[in-house]
Amino acid sequence: MTGRATWRTVLLAAVVVFMAAPILIVIVNSFNSTSYGQWPPPSLSLRWYGNLFQQQDFGAAAVRSVFVAVGATALTLVVGTMAAVALVRMRLPGRAAINGFLLSPMIVPHVALGLAGFTLFLRLHIYGTVPSLVFAHGVLLLPFVVTIVGAGLVRLDPSLEEAATDLGASRLRAFWAVAVPQFRASLAIAAVLGMVVSFDELDASIFLVSPQNQTLPVAMYTYMQKYQDPTLSALSTLLIAATLILASVMLRFFGPSGLAQAVASSDRRALD
Amino acid sequence: MQNLTRRQLLALAGTTLGGAALAACGGGGTASGGSSPKPGGGVGNRKVKVTMFVFLGGNLGVMPKAFAKDYMTKHPNVTIEIYENSNTVGYPKMLAAKQTTPDQPLVNLGFFNAQTTAQGDLDDMWNKLDYGVVKNVKNVLPVLKRGNQKGVGLGTDQLGIVYNSKSLTPAPTAWSDLWDDKLKGKATYFDYYWEGVYMSARAAGGGLNKMDPGWTFWKQHAKWIRTIVTSNPQYLDVLTNGTAEITSYFNGTGLQWKQSGAPLDYVPPKEGAISVPVYLTTVKGNTSDQEAVSQDIVNEMLTPKWAEQWATTTVQVPGVNGVKLPSDLSSLPAFKQQTVDKMIGLDWVTVAKQTASWKQRWDQDVKANI
Amino acid sequence: MLGRFDVRGYVLLSPALAVMAVFFVAAMVVLFTFSLQPFSGSVMLPGTTLDNYRHFLGDRYYWGVLLTTMKLGGLATALALVIGYPTAYAMHRIRRPLWRNVCYFVLFSPLLTSVVVRSYGWSLLLGDRGLINSVLQGLHVTSGPVHLLYELSGVTISLVHILLPFMVFPILGVLGQLDDSLDEAASDLGASRWQTFWRVTIPLTVQGVLVGCQLVFALAISAFATPSLLGGGRVQVLATLIYGDVGELNWPLAAVESYALLVLALLAIGVFNWMLGRSRRAAGGAPA
């Protein structure tokens, strides 16, 4: 059946090219010797990386963004999984309405939510604090978790958990030990997407951060308005490299239970 | 507190009676000692923190940061925090803060462009400067003084022609050159560039209060525009990668791009460049200490030393007498005396009142037709 | 546990609802109060009025913007699905973890770059003198430049690029839960590979598809940065309108626009959910 395998390879190659092309341009441009992005670059240079490290705001902002992303994702995973369980498994009047409600933070443009959130945080005297950012991002991530985890939950067979409770386990323990491993792929995906979305979030954050507590996208946006040179391309390249290293390390560390295996089912056989 | 203007408060600050009155008001800080402004704004040794707004653009932040460092060394009890943000996000935040917590303004003073300053008039955002404190106002060019004393100009940028000097020869010289036949489909503008519409209205006998001739002209000539841009990096790309050859934009940004190596140049048009001043203002809601320090800062910035650093880093015409520009700037057309003399000044308050409706006209007459 | 009305359902929901109430609901209330305030001469005035709603709903321009927004959302979703499902399936079938990981990484690497920076990349690819036009003209497919940049087409392509992971990953997650023995059973019963795919795999992965579509659609219609930076002014969607109105201090109008988008989108998503509910019942998983 190599014909089918060839098709799949061709398709994947095409998708990879599509996804990677603009990013590769960004990476190459980060070494551009001219400042205004002349293409093709007349010569290569590391000056933008040097310039990047001379900027004072990016380091702290990057650390803060990671912290907010991890915190917000942790918060939403807990809250969102509980909500997904309720929506999928329990009979609730008004489920469609609740579902739509939980999706709304993804629909209302973040600009509007940011402005309104700013006035709220001012009133509550929490404007500019990192916890306020974690909370706000958590709400913005909720739709992702609820939908993705919900999809994973639908396919679960509840009789396995019933068996566990019949054998004496508490409901919670049955859920944790029996159900969660089955949909952990969805959990992992929700977590990864959540963290990336939070890390990337600009439109609301720009209203919610104070100058002392910037996140990385806000710091990048600020820089971009002042200077139009490839320094941000250099920063993006470094971020991609850092994530690549981090992902490789995590996969090696987690070994067979890494993300790749979590997504693949455990006893697949080659059907080619 | 509401019954006393900032000016009265500062005048009262020198007397114990003022101290009692301020204490009775309960909200805004304690009396400052001394009847005349001392270094540190007359706040003695009390710790004061002020936040200073600087809108984003090129090297606009360089002078404020250098100034803050210098001032804090001279006045160890004062902390100046710089808050950099775009006008589009920064001013709405200031307004929202004013509506939510009026006694805790988001920033205490700042650099604001002409339009935002005028909008601040409409929103009652600024305090009146006490010219007894801000004595250096006497050195400011008359055109950059504000009639209502809410803020004072430090320098002025200008809007003229920015073009790709490699691909467009001979160089353009007038606003009317923007609409040259050979430039059809080769122009670009920043979104909501009503200043261009204004110049067209003016050429047809209209003005800020009569913009219709301008809208008609732009609607008819919409096809001259290849694309609208919404950010500076995009602007730079579009002008240098062959998409467009000409635009109207700031002298400051144009020269910054040129200095970074791009094949772009700025030309002040024959009919006159539009003067876009930058004002220093202090914000309503400051405590009396914060206001005293803020006005002292404004005063300091109006000295030739700092005004010159502002002018050279931002590439603006200085607003203070006695500033000598380095020759690489003073030889540029944008800084020649005849350019400065011909600059067109606008009534920015009228502009501020109208921009919302102009934005809609722009969407419907220009963007819908390009 | 199944089928009976369970107050535990609400208990489980309550943290989510509480979190939403504190931030989202409160923010929407603030926006709603804005929407009722008069706005004139660049300032918000005290008072209550329905003029903002009347202005928005009565002007054909705004309906045009709503239409463009929905069009962009629909196009992006359709394209993401057409590209995304086969991609997810192909990734699911990769044997070697290394290649699979490379694909994951490539899929979400665009999210790690700032949108400003990505736009530069797109301007080089889609521009009149960009890579795509050069290739097309070199192969003599077209004679002059095709305007992709600063048009709806360019914005759509760029949106699909950034939103593809939101389509692929949910589908991958559901594919990963499939029991391969079902495929085996089908082929034992004489189904061809294509029949198996069409009649077994696809129906069982419909949840993933619908979640992916929901995510991509919602993100596409609320997208601001991509239409703003790559639309060249020609692509006016609600999010760019809202951003402009916030900057112009016309918060009443911005609030009206936000609500209009929310209402329209929830209607569309309501349809999705209805289909999701039907497919759940058909797939025999959780109860309706």
Side-chain angles (χ1 to χ4, degrees):
Chain A
M1 292 292 196
T2 47
R4 189 155 290 108
T6 314
W7 258 119
R8 290 204 301 266
T9 315
V10 166
L11 167 71
L12 274 179
V15 169
V16 165
V17 166
F18 171 63
M19 294 305 283
I23 312 300
L24 285 174
I25 292 180
V26 165
I27 295 177
V28 171
N29 190 49
S30 71
F31 297 102
N32 199 333
S33 59
T34 66
S35 77
Y36 60 97
Q38 189 185 342
W39 192 269
S43 58
L44 300 180
S45 148
L46 283 177
R47 65 193 271 215
W48 306 116
Y49 289 88
N51 190 33
L52 179 61
F53 286 106
Q54 286 183 346
Q55 304 301 318
Q56 304 190 309
D57 301 325
F58 288 132
V63 169
R64 198 167 292 115
S65 277
V66 171
F67 188 83
V68 170
V70 170
T73 305
L75 172 68
T76 351
L77 276 181
V78 170
V79 170
T81 306
M82 288 166 73
V85 167
L87 281 171
V88 170
R89 292 184 151 190
M90 308 201 177
R91 217 180 93 207
L92 296 167
R95 161 188 307 179
I98 297 174
N99 208 48
F101 174 63
L102 289 176
L103 279 176
S104 303
M106 204 165 48
I107 300 168
V108 177
H110 289 186
V111 166
L113 289 177
L115 177 68
F118 172 67
T119 66
L120 279 174
F121 286 171
L122 271 184
R123 241 184 270 266
L124 295 172
H125 301 293
I126 56 175
Y127 162 63
T129 61
V130 174
S132 72
L133 275 178
V134 170
F135 193 77
H137 276 215
V139 173
L140 295 176
L141 295 182
L142 199 55
F144 295 93
V145 174
V146 169
T147 48
I148 294 175
V149 171
L153 279 172
V154 166
R155 302 273 328 129
L156 288 192
D157 183 358
S159 60
L160 287 172
E161 280 162 82
E162 273 182 28
T165 51
D166 285 347
L167 290 167
S170 72
R171 292 286 297 276
L172 189 60
R173 195 180 146 81
F175 182 75
W176 182 256
V178 174
V180 166
Q182 290 178 68
F183 71 93
R184 66 182 177 179
S186 299
L187 272 179
I189 287 166
V192 169
L193 279 181
M195 298 226 299
V196 176
V197 166
S198 163
F199 196 75
D200 208 37
E201 211 287 324
L202 176 65
D203 301 350
S205 304
I206 207 167
F207 283 94
L208 299 173
V209 304
S210 66
Q212 313 95 301
N213 273 338
Q214 288 198 327
T215 57
L216 190 61
V218 175
M220 289 172 91
Y221 165 81
T222 304
Y223 184 87
M224 174 271 272
Q225 301 231 306
K226 295 199 283 191
Y227 307 111
Q228 291 88 55
D229 60 41
T231 304
L232 292 184
S233 300
L235 180 55
S236 295
T237 307
L238 286 181
L239 282 174
I240 293 177
T243 313
L244 191 58
I245 294 172
L246 185 67
S248 314
V249 164
M250 281 180 64
L251 282 170
R252 187 163 297 190
F253 181 69
F254 285 122
S257 61
L259 174 63
Q261 287 302 100
V263 172
S265 59
S266 50
D267 59 347
R268 287 168 56 203
R269 276 137 56 174
L271 290 175
D272 272 332
Chain B
M1 262 335 207
Q2 293 88 338
N3 297 324
L4 294 171
T5 65
R6 289 292 149 201
R7 187 173 181 171
Q8 291 167 318
L9 266 180
L10 286 168
L12 279 175
T15 67
T16 49
L17 184 61
L22 286 168
C25 283
T30 53
S32 34
S35 55
S36 57
K38 293 202 189 78
V43 297
N45 283 328
R46 279 194 298 283
K47 282 194 172 322
V48 184
K49 174 164 172 251
V50 291
T51 308
M52 179 157 69
F53 182 83
V54 182
F55 63 93
L56 291 175
N59 288 317
L60 257 59
V62 172
M63 177 279 218
K65 287 183 182 154
F67 179 92
K69 219 162 133 185
D70 183 78
Y71 193 89
M72 287 195 285
T73 321
K74 293 203 187 101
H75 310 293
N77 58 320
V78 174
T79 315
I80 303 179
E81 191 176 79
I82 308 265
Y83 181 25
E84 283 183 288
N85 210 333
S86 65
N87 283 315
T88 327
V89 173
Y91 188 79
K93 277 177 87 163
M94 284 172 66
L95 185 60
K98 184 173 174 8
Q99 292 167 353
T100 320
T101 50
D103 288 329
Q104 288 171 297
L106 191 70
V107 300
N108 304 108
L109 75 158
F111 296 77
F112 296 93
N113 66 15
Q115 192 171 331
T116 313
T117 309
Q119 181 68 40
D121 284 351
L122 296 176
D123 293 323
D124 192 28
M125 184 71 79
W126 317 125
N127 294 323
K128 253 167 118 163
L129 292 177
D130 179 357
Y131 284 176
V133 173
V134 187
K135 292 196 165 111
N136 289 328
V137 137
K138 64 182 178 341
N139 293 327
V140 173
L141 297 177
V143 69
L144 285 180
K145 283 197 245 211
R146 302 202 78 212
N148 59 11
Q149 290 187 236
K150 292 187 182 174
V152 63
L154 184 57
T156 177
D157 204 342
Q158 51 185 282
L159 287 166
I161 314 273
V162 173
Y163 66 102
N164 188 318
S165 47
K166 210 157 70 171
S167 64
L168 186 60
T169 48
T173 55
W175 289 98
S176 50
D177 286 342
L178 288 169
W179 309 105
D180 197 301
D181 281 332
K182 69 175 197 269
L183 286 172
K184 185 168 182 179
K186 292 252 127 210
T188 177
Y189 295 96
F190 210 99
D191 213 357
Y192 303 117
Y193 192 61
W194 56 266
E195 290 94 334
V197 180
Y198 164 73
M199 287 313 294
S200 302
R202 204 180 135 105
L208 281 181
N209 285 313
K210 194 171 153 216
M211 288 278 272
D212 278 328
W215 293 117
T216 314
F217 184 88
W218 276 64
K219 191 170 175 172
Q220 288 166 347
H221 288 77
K223 293 293 180 211
W224 262 250
I225 304 175
R226 170 67 191 105
T227 186
I228 302 282
V229 299
T230 51
S231 75
N232 274 348
Q234 187 188 13
Y235 216 166
L236 178 60
D237 268 345
V238 165
L239 286 167
T240 53
N241 69 11
T243 310
E245 287 181 340
I246 196 169
T247 185
S248 167
Y249 203 43
F250 288 106
N251 170 43
T253 321
L255 282 180
Q256 183 192 340
W257 287 337
K258 183 179 177 184
Q259 279 164 358
S260 74
L264 299 174
D265 209 349
Y266 170 85
V267 153
K270 278 206 283 268
E271 304 95 323
I274 298 179
S275 152
V276 187
V278 172
Y279 293 103
L280 284 163
T281 58
T282 63
V283 177
K284 215 165 209 140
N286 286 342
T287 64
S288 59
D289 276 358
Q290 288 172 326
E291 184 64 16
V293 168
S294 300
Q295 297 214 8
D296 188 58
I297 290 176
V298 170
N299 191 43
E300 273 289 309
M301 286 187 172
L302 292 175
T303 53
K305 168 185 173 192
W306 292 110
E308 180 191 331
Q309 196 181 27
W310 174 261
T312 48
T313 51
T314 61
V315 192
Q316 291 184 2
V317 172
V320 168
N321 286 323
V323 169
K324 192 121 177 46
L325 284 178
S327 58
D328 59 339
L329 279 187
S330 56
S331 59
L332 290 172
F335 292 92
K336 294 225 153 55
Q337 194 57 43
Q338 59 177 12
T339 306
V340 176
D341 291 339
K342 261 197 302 193
M343 282 205 289
I344 301 171
L346 298 179
D347 174 10
W348 291 95
V349 178
T350 307
V351 170
K353 284 196 188 133
Q354 305 255 45
T355 23
S357 63
W358 286 349
K359 176 181 140 351
Q360 290 178 13
R361 286 300 292 269
W362 178 271
D363 282 333
Q364 289 163 323
D365 289 353
V366 177
K367 266 157 70 162
N369 291 315
I370 54 177
Chain C
M1 183 170 66
L2 309 171
R4 62 169 194 273
F5 173 60
D6 202 336
V7 75
R8 265 175 311 196
Y10 281 111
V11 168
L12 281 176
L13 262 182
S14 54
L17 293 178
V19 156
M20 288 280 283
V22 170
F23 183 71
F24 180 72
V25 174
M28 293 307 282
V29 167
V30 168
L31 287 176
F32 187 67
T33 51
F34 282 159
S35 76
L36 293 174
Q37 281 189 268
F39 183 81
S40 146
S42 287
V43 289
M44 258 194 326
L45 303 165
T48 314
T49 174
L50 286 176
D51 279 347
N52 301 303
Y53 286 97
R54 272 191 221 113
H55 176 67
F56 181 81
L57 295 170
D59 193 335
R60 263 204 358 222
Y61 174 73
Y62 295 110
W63 286 104
V65 173
L66 266 173
L67 189 65
T68 308
T69 311
M70 292 287 140
K71 205 160 77 170
L72 184 62
L75 272 175
T77 308
L79 268 178
L81 181 59
V82 163
I83 300 175
Y85 195 100
T87 306
Y89 188 75
M91 280 173 68
H92 174 69
R93 306 287 287 195
I94 299 177
R95 295 294 133 209
R96 298 249 217 82
L98 176 67
W99 293 125
R100 207 185 298 129
N101 295 338
V102 165
C103 285
Y104 288 144
F105 190 75
V106 168
L107 262 185
F108 74 77
S109 58
L111 286 167
L112 295 170
T113 59
S114 145
V115 61
V116 171
V117 156
R118 274 197 311 272
S119 306
Y120 173 77
W122 282 116
S123 72
L124 284 179
L125 286 172
L126 299 173
D128 290 351
R129 292 196 201 156
L131 188 66
I132 293 186
N133 268 311
S134 307
V135 166
L136 285 175
Q137 288 178 316
L139 295 174
H140 296 295
V141 175
T142 56
S143 55
V146 175
H147 290 325
L148 291 171
L149 194 59
Y150 310 133
E151 306 281 349
L152 187 65
S153 41
V155 174
T156 311
I157 294 172
S158 178
L159 262 187
V160 171
H161 178 256
I162 191 69
L163 296 180
L164 198 61
F166 296 98
M167 177 67 77
V168 169
F169 283 127
I171 297 178
L172 259 182
V174 172
L175 276 172
Q177 286 179 260
L178 279 189
D179 189 350
D180 283 327
S181 59
L182 287 169
D183 277 7
E184 252 189 59
S187 77
D188 285 346
L189 290 169
S192 72
R193 285 300 302 265
W194 179 249
Q195 278 176 322
T196 310
F197 181 76
W198 190 249
R199 287 168 146 236
V200 176
T201 314
I202 288 198
L204 292 179
T205 54
V206 147
Q207 274 85 272
V209 167
L210 288 176
V211 165
C213 288
Q214 264 182 331
L215 290 179
V216 172
F217 182 73
L219 289 170
I221 57 175
S222 64
F224 162 70
T226 302
S228 167
L229 287 170
L230 288 171
R234 281 188 182 80
V235 182
Q236 185 78 297
V237 296
L238 268 172
T240 53
L241 217 54
I242 289 172
Y243 182 82
D245 283 329
V246 166
E248 287 293 324
L249 310 174
N250 193 347
W251 300 344
L253 190 58
V256 169
E257 287 158 354
S258 303
Y259 270 99
L261 184 62
L262 182 62
V263 166
L264 214 60
L266 285 179
L267 277 176
I269 288 179
V271 171
F272 277 149
N273 277 341
W274 178 71
M275 287 166 69
L276 202 111
R278 282 186 59 190
S279 81
R280 275 185 191 155
R281 285 193 288 279

